[in-house]
Amino acid sequence: MKIVVCIKQVPDAKNVRIDPHTHTLVRQGVESIINPFDLFAVEAALRLKDRHGAHVTALTMGPPQAEEALRDVLSRGVDDAVLLSDRAFAGADTWATATALAAAVRKLGDVSLIFCGKQAVDGDTAQVGPELATLLDIPYATFVKQVELGDEGRLKVVRKTDEGMEVWRLPLPALVTVLRDVGDPRVPSIKHKMRAKKAAVPVWGLADVGLSEDRVGLKGSFTQVVRVFSPPKRADRRMLEGPVSEQVEKLFQFLKEAKVPGL
Amino acid sequence: MKALIDLDKCTACGVCQDVCPVGAISVPETHAVVSDDCTLCGMCVDTCEFQAIRLPEVGTGAVTDAAAYRGVWAFAEWRRGSVHRVSYELLSAARRLADKKGVECAAVLLGENLGEAAEDLLRYGADVVYVVDHPALRHFTDEAYSRCLVELVRDKKPEILLAGATSMGRSFIPRVAAMLQTGLTADCTELDINDEGLLLQTRPAFGGNVMATIVCPHGRPQMATVRPRVMRAEIQPRNGRVERVSLPEDVFRTRVQVLEVIAEEDTTAKLTEAEVIVSGGRGLQKAENFRMVEELARLLTGAVGASRSAVEEGWAPVSHQVGQTGQTVSPTLYMAIGISGAIQHIVGMQGSKIIVAVNKDPEAPIFDVATCGVVADLFEFVPAFIERIKRG
Ligand SMILES: Cc1cc2nc3c(=O)[nH]c(=O)nc-3n(C[C@H](O)[C@H](O)[C@H](O)COP(=O)(O)OP(=O)(O)OC[C@H]3O[C@@H](n4cnc5c(N)ncnc54)[C@H](O)[C@@H]3O)c2cc1C
Ligand SMILES: Nc1ncnc2c1ncn2[C@@H]1O[C@H](COP(=O)(O)O)[C@@H](O)[C@H]1O
């Protein structure tokens, strides 16, 4: 059974924000990490492999340095990896991303199962998984916390919804987007680290996956960013500075006037 | 492709170099130079006060006849016997957009045994409610729900389609967008129409501490999802009509089988209904210190909330998490103690009437949404404040 895991390298965005004075992006300590949800996708794939045997390929679309992310998951036990990288892919929205990933999955051929993270933490859209499944015309289940492969070669999943849980059965090939509940990501092992270091990671460009330039990247995108700005401030804001005793008194009076219960 | 520099306008001021998140811009001498590392994110475009930077044009995708599309739709979410509140919020937003464009506003309701739900949607501003009531829609499946909505869109051609960013919307709406071959913007916090009549979709980006406005110039309909409680529902009854639509049986076919639906008790009602919430974040440093937050909440007869970091540290149960992946709350008073105010937290509490933030960092983004900002060390301020309340 061939399994593909889609992973994405994202900026560790904890510290990204616009400086209120200079209006420039504060970049302090912004490193690239693997989208945390994608490590759970990798784990879900590896657990299926442990139980049933499978060949797991990690796939990412990104700049050349995204190769780091692939080597990381190779060191956790993924069998091989493919980097989709081409200048033409830059500026892709979720649709253009899914288009490129779908072409790569087709090229890999005979894929039974695709794992994605629930969402990528840079965009938070959760769109690429469902869009990829739609482009490949395979069924999918989102927000999955438990995956089981039945004897009949069908997948049983438990999904988390706003209202509780649902148990679904899907025929293969299928795509699943996973939550952290599928299990904690395993750490890299010495054996796999050695292999990961030496492994060849093929880089596929536009021509390799048989797409034309107008279908990928910014050109193939439907959406376009027209403005980027800092979140607006509240107009009625007051700041309490000075000694703590003064701040305490001012806040107390303020809340008392506002008739907050308990005061 | 990369960002384009207009050499006549560029003054080599270097601001773009500082804002570029991937370090793709350098300013050697007379003007900025963009390297192949450019990801076309657009951060530089808006910060250039000389309008010297622009991005190459987006593609036209599959060519749709944009002019043939008219009207604004809201997808109404049917959940075990009632319409989810986000649907009314979306419908009110759709109404505003439709009025701005001078077009019709419609709701789409899919499900089984829908009763009077469609009539109810008319009260929130719909000119027409399209209803598909079918046994195959009893349980949600991505395939059946997508096919139904896609059939309706292909037939009636709305220009804008809004849906809730709920577990249902986030699951099947991307499929709808992909089937229709159009753009989709997730989790919008603001929607408007620009001078050209395009939908301006504003959402948090870059981990959320930055906002981005997005358009979909060519794909139709222009599609966006919005989280619950971001928009405000308004009752504005219309003389609208309900149109029951029947679709061919094959539309309802699906490859997945729903074996079981397990409803869970909502244990968080207490938090979402509280009049006062005191929330703690990573600034509290350890579990013992979180007790301060609990005591303050008790004194104010309120509930205890937490940032995700505090939940991850194990200081508070996950059901108390406020924010994008937690609860959305709008109490009369929200106190944020030692919380930085990442957008994922802010979207969950910015609807609160009074927001008090205690943080020692005057630049903390939580102060941007605070009604009252206290710049102080919480370990000094909170105990003193607790004492003050006790004194009465
Ligand atoms: C997909 C996704 C979903 C998310 N969903 C949520 C969500 O639902 N809810 C949520 O809260 N977060 C969410 N987050 C996380 C969010 O981005 C932030 O990481 C988180 O909110 C930060 O928590 P914090 O403010 O407690 O911690 P920090 O960001 O570490 O902030 C601690 C603050 O305490 C202040 N402080 C420290 N010491 C003191 C002191 N002695 N006195 C006063 N102030 C002090 C600091 O100045 C700082 O501002 C999500 C993130 C992602 C990627
Ligand atoms: N560039 C990419 N390369 C590979 N997988 C991706 C990429 N972007 C998104 N994904 C996958 O799609 C999921 C959802 O991403 P998003 O729709 O951006 O929130 C991620 O968790 C990944 O599994």
Side-chain angles (χ1 to χ4, degrees):
Chain A
M1 180 171 67
K2 257 194 198 173
I3 300 179
V4 170
V5 191
C6 295
I7 67 169
K8 185 178 188 187
Q9 202 180 38
V10 295
D12 189 357
K14 261 197 237 111
N15 306 311
V16 182
R17 65 167 155 140
I18 291 184
D19 184 301
H21 304 298
T22 60
H23 297 286
T24 56
L25 197 70
V26 181
R27 273 195 284 159
Q28 160 214 352
V30 184
E31 291 163 31
S32 287
I33 54 168
I34 298 177
N35 176 37
F37 290 110
D38 299 349
L39 285 179
F40 297 108
V42 169
E43 182 60 28
L46 292 177
R47 286 191 182 194
L48 272 196
K49 175 183 163 144
D50 292 345
R51 232 171 308 145
H52 304 278
H55 183 91
V56 181
T57 303
L59 173 64
T60 192
M61 181 185 96
Q65 61 265 32
E67 192 191 309
E68 283 165 38
L70 293 173
R71 292 213 188 263
D72 176 303
V73 297
L74 282 167
S75 73
R76 293 171 200 259
V78 162
D79 294 297
D80 56 16
V82 174
L83 172 60
L84 261 181
S85 193
D86 195 307
R87 288 291 309 148
F89 295 144
D93 68 359
T94 61
W95 161 261
T97 302
T99 300
L101 293 175
V105 171
R106 285 205 189 92
K107 182 176 162 106
L108 285 168
D110 202 24
V111 172
S112 305
L113 193 49
I114 301 173
F115 283 102
C116 285
K118 168 199 168 204
Q119 65 196 43
V121 298
D122 55 347
D124 263 351
T125 78
Q127 288 171 194
V128 169
E131 288 179 341
L132 174 59
T134 305
L135 286 170
L136 292 169
D137 193 26
I138 59 176
Y140 66 89
T142 51
F143 312 131
V144 165
K145 50 187 285 185
Q146 211 177 303
V147 187
E148 248 172 72
L149 191 63
D151 300 329
E152 19 25 281
R154 282 184 300 179
L155 207 60
K156 199 166 131 189
V157 301
V158 181
R159 317 176 55 225
K160 169 119 192 43
T161 68
D162 290 345
E163 303 188 288
M165 289 186 306
E166 292 180 359
V167 187
W168 285 15
R169 185 147 56 204
L170 296 87
L172 298 180
L175 181 146
V176 172
T177 80
V178 303
L179 304 177
R180 61 176 61 227
D181 311 56
V182 293
D184 288 337
R186 60 196 66 190
V187 290
S189 70
I190 309 253
K191 178 180 129 210
H192 290 308
K193 263 188 183 160
M194 302 276 285
R195 193 177 51 86
K197 222 182 254 167
K198 283 185 250 147
V201 174
V203 181
W204 291 355
L206 194 60
D208 299 307
V209 292
L211 289 171
S212 57
E213 204 164 309
D214 58 345
R215 294 199 48 208
V216 297
L218 192 67
K219 268 197 192 158
S221 297
F222 286 106
T223 57
Q224 180 182 21
V225 177
V226 288
R227 194 162 97 88
V228 182
F229 57 102
S230 337
K233 288 192 172 35
R234 235 174 135 115
D236 56 353
R237 177 178 67 145
R238 50 195 269 184
M239 295 297 280
L240 302 183
E241 273 154 275
V244 168
S245 57
E246 246 172 60
Q247 292 174 315
V248 164
E249 196 52 38
K250 279 188 192 154
L251 182 65
F252 184 76
Q253 295 306 333
F254 172 70
L255 294 183
K256 205 164 175 168
E257 273 163 39
K259 298 198 167 43
V260 166
L263 298 182
Chain B
M1 281 203 285
K2 51 192 181 191
L4 308 170
I5 310 284
D6 184 334
L7 303 188
D8 292 335
K9 291 183 180 162
C10 178
T11 63
C13 70
V15 169
C16 52
Q17 182 173 7
D18 298 336
V19 298
C20 178
V22 294
I25 307 184
S26 57
V27 186
E29 264 167 39
T30 53
H31 58 80
V33 175
V34 185
S35 80
D36 278 353
D37 291 336
C38 172
T39 61
L40 298 167
C41 72
M43 283 301 298
C44 54
V45 174
D46 223 53
T47 39
C48 177
E49 54 178 306
F50 309 102
Q51 278 111 43
I53 314 178
R54 62 187 176 84
L55 293 186
E57 288 290 298
V58 285
T60 48
V63 190
T64 45
D65 177 12
Y69 288 73
R70 222 177 136 73
V72 183
W73 283 16
F75 172 74
E77 199 167 301
W78 179 251
R79 291 232 192 129
R80 285 193 288 140
S82 64
V83 172
H84 189 262
R85 56 177 296 158
V86 72
S87 312
Y88 301 119
E89 297 162 6
L90 286 173
L91 191 50
S92 300
R95 179 75 255 167
R96 280 191 296 278
L97 298 171
D99 286 344
K100 206 155 178 187
K101 288 191 69 87
V103 295
E104 265 201 352
C105 166
V108 178
L109 182 62
L110 309 179
E112 189 206 22
N113 290 333
L114 297 168
E116 299 297 299
E119 284 70 19
D120 200 35
L121 285 163
L122 289 175
R123 296 196 304 132
Y124 289 85
D127 295 303
V128 48
V129 181
Y130 298 111
V131 181
V132 183
D133 195 327
H134 193 283
L137 300 176
R138 169 187 311 185
H139 295 307
F140 166 76
T141 59
D142 297 282
E143 290 177 308
Y145 271 64
S146 307
R147 277 291 296 279
C148 281
L149 190 50
V150 165
E151 288 297 320
L152 289 167
V153 168
R154 286 196 176 131
D155 183 39
K156 321 254 180 230
K157 298 194 169 36
E159 191 181 351
I160 293 171
L161 172 58
L162 310 179
T166 57
S167 62
M168 188 195 286
R170 279 168 85 81
S171 190
F172 92 105
I173 292 295
R175 177 171 174 81
V176 171
M179 288 172 79
L180 291 167
Q181 306 215 0
T182 186
L184 170 62
T185 307
D187 297 345
C188 296
T189 51
E190 227 185 288
L191 297 168
D192 202 354
I193 304 288
N194 75 1
D195 296 341
E196 294 152 60
L198 287 177
L199 181 66
L200 291 176
Q201 312 164 85
T202 300
R203 72 180 306 264
F206 277 102
N209 296 324
V210 173
M211 306 296 291
T213 301
I214 292 165
V215 294
C216 176
H218 305 292
R220 290 295 178 274
Q222 303 163 74
M223 292 178 56
T225 64
V226 180
R227 285 183 178 273
R229 285 183 186 258
V230 169
M231 304 284 164
R232 199 170 294 276
E234 278 167 52
I235 295 192
Q236 34 186 332
R238 296 236 142 198
N239 246 339
R241 63 182 201 279
V242 174
E243 204 176 305
R244 291 176 201 280
V245 184
S246 52
L247 296 169
E249 276 309 304
D250 71 307
V251 168
F252 302 99
R253 260 211 307 268
T254 160
R255 288 169 284 191
V256 308
Q257 234 180 313
V258 179
L259 303 178
E260 210 179 335
V261 176
I262 306 152
E264 267 172 4
E265 283 272 317
D266 187 3
T267 54
T268 50
K270 222 179 138 227
L271 191 62
T272 50
E273 280 159 26
E275 201 179 338
V276 174
I277 296 174
V278 184
S279 275
R282 177 138 49 207
L284 285 147
Q285 287 174 13
K286 34 180 190 279
E288 296 96 275
N289 300 335
F290 206 82
R291 305 289 92 82
M292 274 199 285
V293 170
E294 291 163 1
E295 182 172 8
L296 191 50
R298 203 166 42 244
L299 288 170
L300 298 170
T301 59
V304 174
S307 74
R308 186 163 97 174
S309 299
V311 169
E312 276 170 358
E313 297 287 349
W315 304 339
V318 68
S319 55
H320 288 244
Q321 181 177 318
V322 172
Q324 184 181 311
T325 40
Q327 301 303 310
T328 306
V329 298
S330 46
T332 307
L333 170 64
Y334 187 90
M335 284 188 81
I337 314 287
I339 293 177
S340 60
I343 194 78
Q344 294 94 346
H345 188 80
I346 286 178
V347 292
M349 44 65 80
Q350 62 188 355
S352 311
K353 197 157 160 246
I354 302 171
I355 297 171
V356 174
V358 182
N359 198 306
K360 68 176 179 190
D361 174 9
E363 304 287 314
I366 190 77
F367 289 130
D368 294 344
V369 295
T371 336
C372 187
V374 181
V375 184
D377 185 331
L378 70 91
F379 296 107
E380 289 174 36
F381 181 85
V382 177
F385 191 61
I386 287 175
E387 278 316 302
R388 181 66 188 83
I389 296 176
K390 284 185 178 161
R391 263 194 292 133

